[in-house]
Amino acid sequence: MTLLAERTEAGTLRASSSGDKVRLLGWVQRRRDHGGVIFVDLRDRSGIVQVVFNPDMPEEAFVRAERLRTEYVVSVSGSIRKRPEGAENSNIATGEIEVVAETLDILNGAKTPPFYIQDNVDVDESVRLKYRYLDLRRPEMQAVFKTRHQITQIMRNYFDSRGFYEIETPILTKSTPEGARDYLVPSRVHPGEFYALPQSPQIFKQLLMVSGMEKYFQIARCFRDEDLRADRQPEFTQLDVEMSFVEVEDILPLMEEMMARIFAETTGKTVQTPFPRLTFNEAWERYGSDKPDTRFGMELVDVADEVVNSGFKVFTDILAKGGRVKGICAKGCATMPRRELDGLVNFVNTYGAKGLAYIVLAEEGVKSPIAKFFTEEELSSLISRMRGETGDILFFVADKDKVVGDALGHLRLELAKRLNLIQEGTLNFLWVTEFPLLEYDEEEKRYVAIHHPFTSPMDEDLPLLDTDPGKARAKAYDLILNGVELGGGSIRIHRREVQEKMFTLLGLSPEDAISKFGFLLEGFEYGTPPHGGIAFGLDRLVMLVAGRENIRDVIAFPKTQSATCLLTQAPSAVVGKQLKELSIKTHIIAASK
RNA sequence: GGAGCUGUGGUGUAGUGGUUAACAUGCCGGCCUGUCAAGCCGGAGACCGCGGGUUCAAGUCCCGUCAGCUCCGCCA
């Protein structure tokens, strides 16, 4: 029998198997040498068990046990026995028993690791990333990747049982305009030409609908060469789905059930379906966000009609110029120190707000730098509109619509964090629907697609494309969980004349459209079914299921914020021969100061 | 492209401009037969991220730079 064939997992051992002979394979978590008896905590993927080495065992094995050090890889045979009375350890699952060693083989030694292989390790993340293989040995990291595996398995089973095909699409593909910056791969065979890594399988999955695959999914790697954030990596994974002959009402329930299943089978939590829905417009007005966190209130309140006739010129001027004045009511914040208030002013500055007005409803009366601009009646009317009570602070931002929403939306989240308003464990799913189709880009002096250029307008808004394209809404939807955008999708355009109109609006001439998307447009002419789909950020989903705050924690070998890999030192220079084969000469243009 | 925070033995931290840079843990050696963060004794281990500057004197002050993190811009 092979070692592996006779092996028992350490973490599974219980008192019920006392007396059994076992073979353990794993790593030395810790050694406690009492001179006579030696205790070794042996760790494998399943957990930890205490192994006892006694001087009365064969001398050869005991001598080896004295040589053991942290992270040595060992094979131990022995028998399970209940621990002596009083020596049980309730902190570990196997704490009622121990394994009395009979033989010990050191399969491999190990250098002392730079940090403890245990949970909640207090070590700089860059050290963890450099020694990622050790970091991943830690039980909490093992648990994350078990969860990640379970989630993808559930997805595969779910779609398989509903008749979806899992189909792979190219990694080496064509650079297309619109969207994020592409990662490029030089072609050796075609000097001076480049492949692009896919930002998503978008075009291919639509072509698969033209191909008559009808139901497709893929757990697909995507690449975007943009700056990183705590929830953004340059390469990430999407659950990508596309279906033919669908409408919005086919897709959303399908995804709701999948989410419910994922949470039920991984965390045991029940997810209520169907999920609530908000239109984009409502989300923006009430939460200042297209991905509102609905786990707490503190909604934005439009106070334009309360202040429009006041003597406060800052507000009235902005309203006269077509801007907005909105506020939020922070419950119980009246005792917030002045310094913290000033900090919040700086906070909203980040989002373009030039100021943050506030009214403190203190026990001793209203305190506010702006109160003097309002009459007694105006002030009390404003306070009651905001549902302000003694002990609260009212915050106001006046600016362009975009700035007001951004600033107050983020302030709302920041205050919720500081005031601890979010109950742990809550799962608030939310669909945001009826996104605008287009957005006018001041810099490029043209419309750009909010979702992507293949998103279908809502039927009733089709005429708007000719009259007021910025007002047209799309058959697009995003799934939000606890204020995190998990994914989004749309029903696609499948009629050529609509697609052409869309390209025109995006400033693409018919010639441009053909040179950039010709293969797709041509494909669409051969009998394209109505189709639509959705894509989810798998990494973000795993983050939320596993309760992690950082996307790097759910990716086995992630990149740093500057898109490097501390483990492999990628990216790196290559030898001249490689460049020559690619017909590439590098010429580093110094960053301008 | 911009803003902020951090950088001191392997790891985590302390360190009014002034001796030999301190503590914990880990590591090495010794003692020790019921520990589980074992214990006790001893030892090794740092040119304070890097480069300038100010000063009689810099881990400490100034400038620059690099790295990590968080955020803005960016991310259909």
Side-chain angles (χ1 to χ4, degrees):
Chain A
M1 211 156 50
T2 66
L3 280 180
L4 187 59
E6 35 173 279
R7 184 258 188 109
T8 307
E9 293 195 317
T12 63
L13 301 176
R14 295 292 180 275
S16 55
S17 43
S18 291
D20 289 1
K21 297 271 184 196
V22 288
R23 162 79 59 190
L24 299 172
L25 301 171
W27 287 259
V28 173
Q29 176 73 26
R30 195 168 269 121
R31 183 187 64 126
R32 289 178 295 280
D33 185 346
H34 286 242
V37 65
I38 299 171
F39 299 103
V40 169
D41 293 337
L42 186 143
R43 184 193 71 243
D44 64 24
R45 207 175 68 169
S46 66
I48 287 179
V49 73
Q50 173 167 284
V51 180
V52 190
F53 294 88
N54 281 303
D56 53 7
M57 70 189 295
E59 193 190 335
E60 189 193 37
F62 189 77
V63 168
R64 280 195 212 123
E66 290 181 310
R67 271 176 42 216
L68 289 178
R69 293 292 182 273
T70 303
E71 299 307 312
Y72 275 32
V73 185
V74 294
S75 166
V76 174
S77 71
S79 53
I80 303 168
R81 82 166 173 215
K82 288 197 73 157
R83 293 195 186 189
E85 186 90 20
E88 301 89 353
N89 182 353
S90 59
N91 295 323
I92 58 174
T94 60
E96 283 191 21
I97 55 101
E98 61 194 2
V99 172
V100 184
E102 281 152 25
T103 69
L104 166 67
D105 288 298
I106 297 178
L107 303 179
N108 217 337
K111 288 168 72 173
T112 303
F115 51 85
Y116 301 107
I117 309 301
Q118 62 188 34
D119 289 348
N120 303 313
V121 71
D122 182 18
V123 59
D124 196 87
E125 194 181 356
S126 59
V127 179
R128 290 173 51 204
L129 291 177
K130 180 176 176 191
Y131 299 95
R132 186 60 157 179
Y133 40 87
L134 295 179
D135 189 38
L136 294 175
R137 268 187 206 168
R138 298 164 49 236
E140 60 180 321
M141 296 303 278
Q142 300 240 329
V144 166
F145 287 93
K146 181 181 180 185
T147 299
R148 187 172 175 128
H149 164 75
Q150 286 173 329
I151 289 172
T152 54
Q153 287 304 112
I154 293 164
M155 288 171 170
R156 288 199 160 98
N157 290 336
Y158 184 81
F159 287 107
D160 174 61
S161 69
R162 280 161 182 74
F164 284 74
Y165 296 164
E166 181 171 8
I167 302 173
E168 291 166 273
T169 53
I171 293 294
L172 296 176
T173 180
K174 185 180 167 71
S175 179
T176 51
E178 304 277 321
R181 196 175 292 115
D182 284 323
Y183 274 100
L184 297 176
V185 179
S187 162
R188 174 181 58 83
V189 183
H190 302 279
E193 298 186 354
F194 296 82
Y195 302 96
L197 305 182
Q199 296 175 27
S200 82
Q202 185 62 37
I203 289 172
F204 288 106
K205 72 174 173 178
Q206 292 192 241
L207 288 171
L208 286 171
M209 296 303 103
V210 179
S211 307
M213 294 296 171
E214 298 200 15
K215 295 176 176 182
Y216 143 95
F217 83 101
Q218 181 181 193
I219 293 171
R221 196 65 65 84
C222 306
F223 307 85
R224 294 177 189 176
D225 188 2
E226 296 293 347
D227 288 339
L228 279 62
R229 289 286 189 283
D231 62 350
R232 260 163 43 189
Q233 280 275 304
E235 56 178 304
F236 60 100
T237 306
Q238 279 189 347
L239 167 68
D240 196 43
V241 180
E242 195 78 5
M243 296 165 78
S244 294
F245 311 111
V246 284
E247 297 164 30
V248 174
E249 296 309 323
D250 295 305
I251 292 177
L252 305 199
L254 182 74
M255 296 302 130
E256 289 171 352
E257 197 183 332
M258 181 193 76
M259 284 297 165
R261 186 161 299 193
I262 287 169
F263 275 88
E265 292 182 22
T266 55
T267 67
K269 283 184 186 162
T270 305
V271 171
Q272 215 60 42
T273 59
F275 300 159
R277 299 186 192 182
L278 280 182
T279 64
F280 168 84
N281 193 48
E282 206 177 346
W284 179 253
E285 286 301 322
R286 290 171 54 189
Y287 299 99
S289 171
D290 60 357
K291 45 176 179 156
D293 190 337
T294 55
R295 287 176 297 174
F296 64 99
M298 215 197 292
E299 294 187 15
L300 279 56
V301 180
D302 188 334
V303 295
D305 54 343
E306 296 287 343
V307 301
V308 68
N309 295 315
S310 73
F312 191 30
K313 272 187 72 78
V314 174
F315 283 3
T316 54
D317 284 358
I318 279 164
L319 290 172
K321 280 188 286 185
R324 312 281 308 266
V325 182
K326 294 173 85 171
I328 55 175
C329 174
K331 290 277 161 211
C333 277
T335 53
M336 186 180 280
R338 179 61 196 262
R339 246 175 85 186
E340 198 173 346
L341 278 172
D342 291 342
L344 291 178
V345 177
N346 286 333
F347 179 83
V348 298
N349 287 156
T350 338
Y351 302 96
K354 286 175 271 307
L356 179 67
Y358 53 86
I359 299 175
V360 182
L361 305 178
E363 293 287 348
E364 58 272 28
V366 171
K367 290 191 292 189
S368 167
I370 64 165
K372 57 178 179 252
F373 299 108
F374 296 90
T375 66
E376 198 71 26
E377 295 74 45
E378 283 169 347
L379 203 56
S380 72
S381 169
L382 178 62
I383 291 166
S384 86
R385 167 70 72 92
M386 297 292 299
R387 304 215 170 129
E389 296 168 332
T390 302
D392 301 345
I393 297 188
L394 311 178
F395 291 102
F396 301 93
V397 174
D399 214 303
K400 289 184 293 201
D401 180 52
K402 170 98 173 84
V403 171
V404 170
D406 264 350
L408 286 177
H410 283 98
L411 180 62
R412 176 179 171 270
L413 293 173
E414 179 66 19
L415 287 169
K417 207 186 295 171
R418 294 191 192 189
L419 301 173
N420 228 345
L421 294 184
I422 296 168
Q423 197 187 335
E424 286 292 318
T426 313
L427 292 175
N428 274 25
F429 282 96
L430 173 74
W431 289 108
V432 175
T433 62
E434 299 183 19
F435 277 82
L437 185 67
L438 303 159
E439 182 179 41
Y440 194 75
D441 187 317
E442 296 290 346
E443 231 168 81
E444 300 199 31
K445 301 281 177 225
R446 67 178 182 95
Y447 283 105
V448 294
I450 295 231
H451 191 56
H452 60 60
F454 313 109
T455 299
S456 173
M458 289 177 65
D459 298 332
E460 58 268 44
D461 288 358
L462 267 175
L464 286 172
L465 295 186
D466 298 315
T467 55
D468 192 357
K471 284 245 160 62
R473 293 163 302 165
K475 289 183 185 171
Y477 31 81
D478 276 1
L479 182 60
I480 313 304
L481 172 54
N482 295 349
V484 175
E485 181 191 331
L486 274 186
S490 64
I491 302 298
R492 326 298 182 188
I493 297 169
H494 66 281
R495 281 166 47 206
R496 190 194 166 112
E497 65 275 18
V498 179
Q499 187 65 63
E500 281 173 354
K501 187 166 283 174
M502 188 72 178
F503 282 143
T504 309
L505 286 168
L506 295 174
L508 276 176
S509 68
E511 299 76 45
D512 289 343
I514 283 165
S515 83
K516 281 159 180 163
F517 296 110
F519 59 100
L520 179 68
L521 297 177
E522 189 180 2
F524 280 173
E525 295 184 57
Y526 287 94
T528 304
H531 62 286
I534 194 163
F536 289 103
L538 178 69
D539 314 281
R540 286 185 188 171
L541 178 60
V542 177
M543 270 171 80
L544 287 161
V545 172
R548 291 275 155 177
E549 298 200 342
N550 192 305
I551 199 170
R552 293 181 297 278
D553 279 352
V554 303
I555 294 176
F557 299 100
K559 306 280 190 293
T560 66
Q561 190 164 47
S562 58
T564 65
C565 173
L566 295 180
L567 174 60
T568 63
Q569 296 297 318
S572 56
V574 297
V575 298
K577 181 168 177 264
Q578 288 175 290
L579 290 178
K580 205 174 166 198
E581 282 175 342
L582 293 167
S583 315
I584 283 181
K585 208 181 245 175
T586 53
H587 171 226
I588 311 299
I589 303 156
S592 56
K593 287 273 166 80

